[in-house]
DNA sequence: AATTGTCTCAACCGCTAGTCA
DNA sequence: CTGACTAGCGGTTGAGACAAT
């Protein structure tokens, strides 16, 4: 943890330093600063982060405010220890996506890229290493990693349930109940498609009336997070494959996210999952929506191709007016 | 009880990409 | 086209917490 710089040391008042820009604070955030930022964000929503810093009366750079909000203050954060299911999912996603922490985080409701990155570097990495102290390419290690490429359907559902009933949901409800009978959430920059239960259009809107948004919309459902194997190939029947963001065709869902322009070509995804989906037509579990992924290999999927003919983003009601 | 080593994680840094004048 | 500005990402740092000696 970094020591919070004292305000006296870091703040140069404009009074006795004409023309000088106030020195920005660094280091740990004080409760008062947190309070200021939370209050500002809840009442004004996210705008330009440098404006947020200025208007909230914080001697912080916008970048610092953004980080603090995203990683710590955002009301929907889950916090606490990672569940075994989350852990498995992280390992699996990392085997598919590599160190794309933000994309991994986008598939884990209430978790931040920073949190996942730390968890990976401190815990999982070590665990996988310990599983095979002599050789990282040993069968044990391969099993530890590739064995997680498929997740048990019930485990996924359990994660959906856990996610949708998490205490963070309640806390968000509490924060928004006074203002409205539905959750008009603050914009959450890292939540794009691929995180449907919190994503645009699904974000808690149905939860207030007793519905269960996380389950109804499907933690991995409507945007095609999980492809159910049809038997044969590496994805067995009843097993679930979580495709990389870049690989998901949204055409059948009629949904896309213009914000996701990350044109990763997936060259580092040359693992067995390619073989698994290549030559196996796998159907989505989304009420009859199917993605035809026949003949597709990750390295060949270009985002431009995926995005063409996709109708404009149809759900922007979470945007701050 | 004191010291040392290790772990955890909040926050920073540097970089890239997108936007706009 | 260019440069300034901003958002976002991944890597790294470092201080506090905790465990071991």
């Amino acid at each position: 943890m970094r020591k919070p710089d004292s305000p006296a040391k870091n703040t140069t008042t404009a009074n006795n330093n004409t023309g000088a820009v106030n020195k920005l604070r660094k280091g740990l955030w004080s409760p008062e600063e947190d309070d200021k930022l939370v209050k500002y964000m809840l009442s004004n929503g996210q705008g330009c982060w440098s404006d947020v810093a200025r208007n909230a009366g914080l001697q912080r750079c916008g970048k610092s405010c953004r980080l603090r909000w995203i990683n710590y203050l955002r009301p929907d954060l889950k916090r606490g220890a990672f569940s075994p299911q989350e852990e498995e999912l992280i390992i699996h996603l990392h085997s598919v996506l590599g160190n794309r922490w933000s994309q991994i985080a986008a598939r884990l409701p209430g978790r931040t890229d920073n949190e996942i990155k730390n968890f990976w570097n401190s815990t999982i990495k070590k665990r996988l290493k310990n599983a095979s102290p002599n050789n990282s390419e040993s069968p044990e290690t391969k099993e530890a990693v590739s064995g997680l490429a498929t997740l048990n359907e019930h485990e996924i559902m359990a994660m959906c349930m856990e996610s949708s009933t998490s205490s963070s949901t309640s806390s968000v409800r509490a924060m928004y109940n006074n203002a409205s009978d539905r959750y008009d959430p603050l914009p959450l920059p890292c939540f794009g498609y691929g995180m449907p239960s919190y994503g645009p259009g699904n974000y808690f809107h149905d939860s207030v009336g007793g519905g269960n948004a996380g389950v109804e919309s499907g933690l991995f459902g409507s945007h095609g997070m999980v492809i159910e194997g049809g038997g044969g190939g590496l994805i067995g029947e009843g097993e679930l494959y979580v495709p990389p963001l870049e690989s998901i065709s949204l055409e059948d869902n009629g949904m896309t996210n213009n914000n996701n322009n990350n044109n990763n070509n997936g060259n580092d995804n040359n693992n067995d999952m390619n073989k698994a989906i290549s030559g196996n037509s796998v159907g989505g579990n989304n009420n009859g929506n199917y993605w035809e992924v026949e003949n597709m290999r990750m390295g060949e999927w270009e985002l431009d191709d995926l995005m063409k003919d996709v109708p404009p983003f149809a759900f922007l009601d979470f945007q701050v007016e």
Side-chain angles (χ1 to χ4, degrees):
Chain A
M1 261 54 93
R2 288 162 199 274
K3 223 192 295 185
D5 294 342
S6 72
K9 178 181 151 196
N10 288 283
T11 304
T12 306
T13 60
N15 290 340
N16 50 16
N17 194 356
T18 45
V21 180
N22 282 354
K23 235 182 180 177
L24 299 175
R25 276 172 57 83
K26 281 188 178 180
L28 290 184
W29 282 62
S30 68
E32 292 77 23
E33 288 178 304
D34 282 347
D35 193 46
K36 279 183 184 177
L37 183 57
V38 167
K39 278 180 180 163
Y40 181 87
M41 291 300 290
L42 291 179
S43 57
N44 298 286
Q46 179 191 315
C48 173
W49 281 108
S50 50
D51 290 343
V52 170
R54 202 178 314 121
N55 297 336
L58 292 161
Q59 255 99 40
R60 295 271 180 177
C61 66
K63 199 171 179 175
S64 181
C65 292
R66 175 187 161 267
L67 219 57
R68 184 64 179 171
W69 175 255
I70 288 174
N71 288 335
Y72 200 82
L73 299 174
R74 225 171 53 191
D76 59 301
L77 288 179
K78 197 182 252 178
R79 311 204 59 79
F82 283 84
S83 69
Q85 287 81 11
E86 285 178 310
E87 198 176 314
E88 274 195 26
L89 189 56
I90 290 169
I91 293 170
H92 162 69
L93 288 170
H94 187 271
S95 73
V96 175
L97 296 168
N99 291 1
R100 293 173 191 154
W101 306 115
S102 62
Q103 293 193 33
I104 294 173
R107 291 167 167 86
L108 281 146
R111 301 295 188 181
T112 69
D113 54 353
N114 208 30
E115 201 176 6
I116 292 169
K117 183 170 62 182
N118 283 334
F119 182 60
W120 177 269
N121 286 331
S122 65
T123 306
I124 300 182
K125 221 174 181 178
K126 191 172 49 188
R127 197 173 302 168
L128 292 179
K129 193 181 171 186
N130 288 342
S132 173
N134 299 325
N135 182 0
S136 64
E137 289 304 305
S138 71
E140 293 94 314
T141 300
K142 282 182 175 174
E143 188 182 353
V145 176
S146 68
L148 293 160
T150 56
L151 297 176
N152 180 288
E153 186 174 4
H154 302 294
E155 290 171 0
I156 296 287
M157 281 310 295
M159 290 173 67
C160 294
M161 293 299 291
E162 185 187 0
S163 161
S164 64
T165 58
S166 70
S167 59
S168 65
T169 303
S170 305
S171 67
V172 174
R173 277 182 193 163
M175 297 187 83
Y176 286 98
N177 265 349
N178 289 339
S180 167
D181 62 352
R182 71 165 211 180
Y183 303 115
D184 281 330
L186 295 162
L188 303 171
C190 72
F191 293 162
Y193 80 75
M195 191 171 157
S197 62
Y198 290 82
N202 287 326
Y203 190 87
F204 288 134
H205 282 181
D206 295 325
S207 301
V208 183
N212 198 334
V215 172
E216 285 173 0
S217 58
L219 176 56
F220 308 108
S222 58
H223 291 74
M225 279 299 299
V226 174
I227 297 173
E228 186 178 1
L234 293 182
I235 304 177
E237 192 163 5
E239 291 180 326
L240 300 166
Y241 163 56
V242 183
L245 262 178
E246 298 83 354
S247 70
I248 299 168
S249 169
L250 301 173
E251 293 179 24
D252 290 339
N253 292 314
M255 301 169 91
T256 185
N257 183 344
N258 293 336
N259 293 327
N260 196 320
N261 292 325
N262 202 346
N263 195 6
N264 296 317
N265 60 16
N267 283 338
D268 55 342
N269 293 331
N270 289 327
N271 55 23
D272 284 345
M273 297 309 294
N274 289 352
K275 299 170 197 165
I277 56 174
S278 176
N280 282 293
S281 185
V282 283
N285 61 346
N286 182 30
N287 301 327
N289 282 343
Y290 286 82
W291 303 290
E292 294 298 333
V293 295
E294 200 170 6
N295 299 325
M296 293 175 81
R297 288 176 181 272
M298 292 180 192
E300 298 168 359
W301 299 347
E302 295 294 340
L303 191 62
D304 288 346
D305 289 337
L306 293 171
M307 301 302 273
K308 73 181 177 186
D309 301 328
V310 174
F313 211 47
F315 33 77
L316 292 169
D317 63 338
F318 69 103
Q319 300 272 16
V320 170
E321 283 93 14

